[in-house]
Amino acid sequence: MSMAAPAPPAPARLRRIVAASLIGTTIEWYDFFLYGSAAALVFNKLFFPDSDPLVGTLLSFLTYAVGFAARPVGALVFGHYGDRLGRKKLLVLSLLLMGGATFAIGLLPTHATVGSAAPVLLTALRLVQGFALGGEWGGAVLLVSEHGDARRRGFWASWPQTGAPAGQLLATGVLSALTALLSDAAFESWGWRVPFLLSGVLVLVGLWIRLSVDESPVFRAALAHAEARKAEAGRQPDGAAKTPLVDVVRHHWRDVLIAMGARMAENISYYVITAFVLVYATSDHVGLGKQTALNAVLIASAVHFAVIPAWGALSDRIGRRPVYLLGAAGVGAWAFPFFLLIDTRDFGALLLAVTVGLVFHGAMYAPQAAFFSEMFATRMRYSGASIGAQFSSVAAGAPAPLIATALLADYDSATPIALYVIAAALVTLVAVGVAAETRDRDLARIEPGAPGGERATGTQDAAERAPRSAPAS
């Protein structure tokens, strides 16, 4: 069943909505990535000081992975209430949780002060971060997708995706500046706390902007439709599902599996390229300095930020699947050159390795927001998109730096790590290869299975396809 699609908002209003989603996701990813960078650089010494350096890094990455374990729980909780109460309320809550946890990490005592309680507290706060991020992504991309012009949905929905490289850029930039200005002793003593405490200021800015935008018109229309049906039939509304999770499993199980498979290469490659690279480049195997590795990730993240909207616009022209498949094939083909370039111990080669890897990653990440949003009906879209995206993170992004570090420790070679990335790329190529193209789908549809609506297998009746003209780039 479909409703009449709400009219696209005025350009100025749409830009404000995009800005609210982008700034919020930037702050949340800043918080999340800051932890990953600190885990690679200092947490092994501050919270696991009795371990061998590489074992300490493994333990710090293990607490890093714990955040991913909480993300599916966040997806379930935020998705359920986001489909019932709206996108905006849950996005404000996720920002408060993430910012509060990150600020608290900046105040944590270290192992030298409180002993084993320090890593326990660190892990607890990491769980809160993961829970918040599990609910953030789905709401942020839906707020833009459900507001925007259908002809340019891929472009507009890709902007919240730039929050990831923007957050990475901000986190890496702050850490890079601190490591350049401070001695190693000063950085390990107090300097590492500064970027975590800075999160408190950023959250206030994000809340001010996020509270200024309206709820998704598609969601509001679904609720109005439900109330009208309730008044006519004298029964419970079905525009906002009472159990969105059950409906997702019943009607969209195939789409959830496709989304999970699509995330494998995207998630694994990203954390190998941006988090594990800090370990690999600074290890005895390569021997580059921390500042050199951070600078490479910093510059490459700026390029990543710039290419994501371009890939999103291309997905409006040729479809989500072709762009996504290009990215998956690209990261698989780049896996061996990536490590071979880093092994040269040359900064230019390191920069090229990380930049090209992130450009290919952007070809998956850019269309992902529109692709996943278009798979699910309004009444279960927050739950479906969040579950598909976040459940895969437990098997993909969570263990990626941990597995890569363990493989390096066991084999003292990048070959098994490259094979690991290639295997993930193959999984994604299969998942996206069997998916239906979603570019022409109508986000105003309320539920699957109704006459003229979307079927549970992920296909769509031709009668529901809206005429399209070529979007402007």
Side-chain angles (χ1 to χ4, degrees), residues 211-465:
L211 287 169
S212 69
V213 301
D214 298 326
E215 180 57 80
S216 155
V218 171
F219 180 80
R220 290 202 313 267
L223 287 183
H225 176 86
E227 291 299 327
R229 292 191 61 175
K230 179 182 177 182
E232 291 174 3
R235 57 186 176 86
Q236 290 295 318
D238 57 3
K242 290 194 289 186
T243 53
L245 174 60
V246 174
D247 289 336
V248 167
V249 173
R250 179 184 301 151
H251 298 292
H252 285 289
W253 61 268
R254 182 177 181 271
D255 294 317
V256 169
L257 292 177
I258 287 172
M260 291 175 67
R263 284 274 282 172
M264 294 302 288
E266 179 267 306
N267 227 212
I268 288 173
S269 66
Y270 189 75
Y271 290 105
V272 168
I273 293 168
T274 60
F276 173 71
V277 73
L278 298 177
V279 175
Y280 185 76
T282 59
S283 68
D284 293 338
H285 186 81
V286 177
L288 293 172
K290 286 190 295 187
Q291 188 66 46
T292 301
L294 283 169
N295 287 343
V297 174
L298 185 68
I299 297 170
S301 294
V303 176
H304 193 211
F305 180 92
V307 300
I308 285 177
W311 285 124
L314 184 62
S315 78
D316 285 326
R317 290 184 177 275
I318 68 174
R320 319 301 182 210
R321 290 175 67 252
V323 177
Y324 212 116
L325 290 169
L326 173 63
V331 296
W334 191 245
F336 276 108
F338 176 79
F339 289 106
L340 289 173
L341 286 167
I342 298 174
D343 288 343
T344 65
R345 299 177 173 84
D346 177 71
F347 175 74
L350 170 64
L351 178 60
L352 178 64
V354 178
T355 301
V356 173
L358 287 180
V359 168
F360 281 129
H361 173 270
M364 293 182 286
Y365 201 52
Q368 189 179 98
F371 188 33
F372 289 7
S373 299
E374 291 159 350
M375 287 182 181
F376 303 96
T378 301
R379 59 179 284 178
M380 59 200 76
R381 185 170 294 133
Y382 201 144
S383 295
S386 296
I387 291 168
Q390 303 306 335
F391 270 65
S392 60
S393 68
V394 177
L402 192 65
I403 289 172
T405 303
L407 290 173
L408 180 63
D410 288 345
Y411 295 95
D412 193 30
S413 168
T415 297
I417 305 168
L419 292 174
Y420 170 51
V421 174
I422 291 170
L426 291 174
V427 171
T428 294
L429 287 170
V430 171
V432 179
V434 302
E437 179 55 60
T438 63
R439 181 175 58 132
D440 293 326
R441 291 191 182 174
D442 178 12
L443 290 189
R445 69 191 189 283
I446 301 173
E447 58 185 339
E454 184 193 24
R455 294 188 291 273
T457 58
T459 58
Q460 186 183 40
D461 290 339
E464 192 181 348
R465 295 179 184 270

Side-chain angles (χ1 to χ4, degrees), residues 16 19-21 23-24 27 88 91-92 95-96 200-214:
R16 186 171 70 249
S21 291
I23 291 174
I27 294 168
K88 178 180 173 178
L91 284 174
V92 169
L95 189 60
L96 285 172
V201 178
L202 297 176
V203 166
L204 292 177
V205 175
L207 281 175
W208 176 68
I209 295 174
R210 193 160 270 188
L211 287 169
S212 69
V213 301
D214 298 326

Side-chain angles (χ1 to χ4, degrees), residues 127-142:
L127 283 169
V128 176
Q129 281 190 322
F131 178 79
L133 191 61
E136 161 71 21
W137 182 85
V141 300
L142 292 189

